[in-house]
Amino acid sequence: MTNIFAVILAAGQGTRMKSKLYKVLHPVCGKPMVEHVVDNIQTLDVNRIVTIVGHGAEKVKEQLGEKSEYVLQAEQLGTAHAVKQAETILGELEGTTLVVCGDTPLIRTETFKALFEHHQAQNAKATILTAVADNPTGYGRIIRGNNGQVEQIVEQKDASPEQQLVTEINTGTYCFDNKALFDALKLVKNENAQGEYYLPDVIEIMQKQGEIVSAYQCEDFEETLGVNDRVALSQAESIMRNRINEKHMRNGVTIVNPLTTHISVNAIIGRDTVIQPGTIIEGNSIIGEDCVIGPNSHIVNCQIGDRSTVQNSVATNSIVGEDTSVGPFAHLRPDAQLGNNVKIGNFVEVKKSTLGNHSKVSHLSYIGDAEVGSNVNIGCGSITVNYDGKNKFKTVIEDNVFVGCNSNLVAPVKIGAGSFIAAGSTITKEVPEDALAIARARQENKLDYAKKLK
């Protein structure tokens, strides 16, 4: 089998984005555009991936890591000049090279595979991925001869009025015989309106050399969308979101209103789970079966067990067990770990804390830096007082504890198993097992004193 290489063009600044963030790092459904491209290409079992970087090079390397090798295009002189930078890595190798722009996150793995197979079947030196656009303005036009073969690609600014009427466009994605590609790149000139070295000129060079130049037409123009500004970014997000939602629905997930549901491309959701309107699921979240998420919940990098619910709540970097309910209006901050059959009610905040099975924090409480056992009931308005203004301290609540309403547990403190905390108490020292702790001033009534205050 032939060797397969890939060159990802990711050196442009993307000035039309008007952003401090490097263009190809703008996310689409939670993943940077260039990472979508690289991940889809990796499924072809490529031998080597080379990403051409320029502006923001270090941040691109940081994002992609070992998924790719990198070459710097210090000066942006056009797409042909960009690909030529990979010659030091790929120039002498035998095989087929796929060239893709890093701002085309919507091209499917199946399309890359079909392009490659068409290229092989035609025994071509170059194959262009094309598409038919209703409005081809801004795209290079595919100019074919009388025999239907590709003769050249003409850029918008260099196209004649007749050529601008052509609706078959160049998507900027190609397959090349690797050695033929780098030989042809040496012949590319910059005699055009932009004074740049265009990669499409390689097509005309090969055609004039009598080589076979083919084209594979993508059925869906939307798939080839290149993202150059915020409008196109929004379009890509919408298309990708529809794909993701459709995939989950076909796999047995109910999404009540797909138009208001945003799910990360990396999220995993089990069958018979219901996603209510207004819900956002980000990052590498994993949601089990038979769950109900939403309405209006925001889940980020969380693991949620089977049959659990998260209603009108925010959860980040947290673990929720099975048969557990969260919300409405709860907040799970990073490192919250809830066991099975746990209840986190309205206006409860949990941070860097574990709660054992069958424990309840039903309303209006803050649990931070705490280790809470099983079958614990924490009453309304209770707080683990974990911060003294400089350091954080831990609260340990053992199994079968009952914490009365409006209690303050001042850390570091341990509440022994089976004990009771009287409502309104401020606990500052350890409570033994099975004890009743009362830490509040004795009530004293001063008769008729209220009249003096009036």
Side-chain angles (χ1 to χ4, degrees):
M1 183 177 178
T2 184
N3 292 323
I4 306 175
F5 313 113
V7 175
I8 314 298
L9 304 182
Q13 187 173 5
T15 55
R16 281 183 281 173
M17 297 295 285
K18 292 182 171 59
S19 174
K20 295 182 290 296
L21 181 64
Y22 184 45
K23 181 175 76 166
V24 298
L25 293 180
H26 279 265
V28 173
C29 291
K31 182 191 289 188
M33 290 190 284
V34 69
E35 194 167 3
H36 278 289
V37 174
V38 170
D39 287 350
N40 287 338
I41 287 174
Q42 281 186 319
T43 62
L44 299 176
D45 295 324
V46 292
N47 299 86
R48 301 179 81 166
I49 296 176
V50 180
T51 301
I52 312 301
V53 294
H55 298 281
E58 293 307 314
K59 291 185 178 179
V60 174
K61 292 178 183 180
E62 181 180 344
Q63 181 65 44
L64 296 179
E66 296 182 358
K67 293 181 179 182
S68 175
E69 300 173 74
Y70 305 93
V71 176
L72 178 67
Q73 185 189 19
E75 188 178 5
Q76 279 69 61
L77 300 177
T79 50
H81 179 260
V83 175
K84 194 173 182 180
Q85 307 311 301
E87 186 173 12
T88 55
I89 296 176
L90 302 178
E92 299 301 319
L93 301 179
E94 298 281 352
T96 299
T97 296
L98 183 66
V99 178
V100 192
C101 295
D103 61 1
T104 54
L106 299 175
I107 302 179
R108 300 174 188 265
T109 297
E110 295 82 0
T111 300
F112 285 132
K113 184 177 180 181
L115 172 65
F116 174 76
E117 290 176 349
H118 179 87
H119 177 78
Q120 296 293 102
Q122 296 295 314
N123 196 29
K125 290 294 183 182
T127 301
I128 312 153
L129 180 66
T130 72
V132 174
D134 292 336
N135 179 9
T137 302
Y139 289 93
R141 308 303 202 277
I142 302 297
I143 307 302
R144 295 179 181 266
N146 294 331
N147 59 359
Q149 294 296 311
V150 177
E151 291 186 344
Q152 63 179 141
I153 303 171
V154 181
E155 295 301 314
Q156 169 80 28
K157 294 181 180 179
D158 301 309
S160 67
E162 183 180 9
Q163 290 170 332
Q164 290 187 19
L165 297 176
V166 174
T167 58
E168 185 179 16
I169 58 94
N170 174 26
T171 67
T173 297
Y174 312 84
C175 268
F176 292 104
D177 174 275
N178 187 65
K179 284 196 170 182
L181 167 63
F182 288 103
D183 287 342
L185 285 171
K186 296 180 176 69
L187 303 177
V188 174
K189 301 183 184 302
N190 65 342
E191 297 169 355
N192 52 63
Q194 292 292 96
E196 294 184 352
Y197 298 90
Y198 290 148
L199 183 60
D201 289 353
V202 167
I203 300 301
E204 187 174 2
I205 289 168
M206 290 184 175
Q207 199 276 338
K208 289 180 178 179
Q209 291 174 342
E211 304 289 3
I212 297 174
V213 175
S214 186
Y216 176 78
Q217 191 173 107
C218 182
E219 294 181 3
D220 183 3
F221 169 72
E222 283 189 336
E223 188 174 339
T224 68
L225 177 70
V227 177
N228 291 311
D229 58 25
R230 304 290 181 133
V231 174
L233 182 66
S234 174
Q235 293 169 344
E237 178 83 17
S238 177
I239 295 165
M240 182 74 74
R241 183 175 68 246
N242 290 340
R243 282 187 195 175
I244 293 169
N245 289 350
E246 181 177 333
K247 178 193 73 173
H248 287 297
M249 289 187 286
R250 294 194 182 281
N251 287 338
V253 176
T254 295
I255 300 178
V256 176
N257 187 349
L259 293 177
T260 64
T261 302
H262 299 252
I263 301 175
S264 162
V265 68
N266 293 328
I268 298 172
I269 305 175
R271 291 186 300 178
D272 293 314
T273 283
V274 177
I275 309 298
Q276 296 283 5
T279 292
I280 300 172
I281 300 172
E282 294 189 68
N284 297 309
S285 294
I286 301 174
I287 298 172
E289 297 184 355
D290 301 293
C291 296
V292 178
I293 309 298
N296 303 313
S297 289
H298 189 181
I299 312 296
V300 183
N301 292 320
C302 289
Q303 181 176 322
I304 299 174
D306 296 344
R307 300 174 301 280
S308 290
T309 64
V310 182
Q311 180 184 1
N312 294 91
S313 296
V314 175
T316 303
N317 297 324
S318 296
I319 297 174
V320 177
E322 297 180 351
D323 302 291
T324 288
S325 65
V326 177
F329 312 116
H331 187 186
L332 301 184
R333 290 170 57 191
D335 299 320
Q337 297 187 39
L338 313 182
N340 301 329
N341 294 283
V342 170
K343 180 180 179 181
I344 301 296
N346 52 296
F347 304 105
V348 172
E349 181 178 344
V350 182
K351 189 273 293 186
K352 200 176 182 180
S353 298
T354 61
L355 281 83
N357 298 338
H358 299 280
S359 288
K360 299 178 181 179
V361 190
S362 294
H363 33 226
L364 298 163
S365 295
Y366 170 69
I367 308 299
D369 296 282
E371 182 181 316
V372 181
S374 298
N375 199 36
V376 171
N377 186 93
I378 297 179
C380 171
S382 295
I383 297 172
T384 59
V385 185
N386 59 332
Y387 186 47
D388 67 359
K390 183 177 180 181
N391 298 303
K392 298 288 180 69
F393 298 94
K394 187 174 183 179
T395 299
V396 177
I397 304 174
E398 295 186 337
D399 297 345
N400 303 306
V401 168
F402 182 93
V403 178
C405 294
N406 197 35
S407 294
N408 297 307
L409 308 180
V410 182
V413 70
K414 178 180 177 181
I415 313 299
S419 60
F420 278 69
I421 307 298
S425 293
T426 296
I427 303 299
T428 59
K429 59 185 180 180
E430 181 174 344
V431 178
E433 292 185 9
D434 298 315
L436 169 62
I438 305 174
R440 61 193 184 204
R442 185 179 298 275
Q443 181 173 330
E444 182 178 346
N445 296 330
K446 296 193 178 288
L447 299 179
D448 296 323
Y449 193 84
K451 294 178 181 179
K452 297 180 181 180
L453 299 177
K454 296 177 183 177

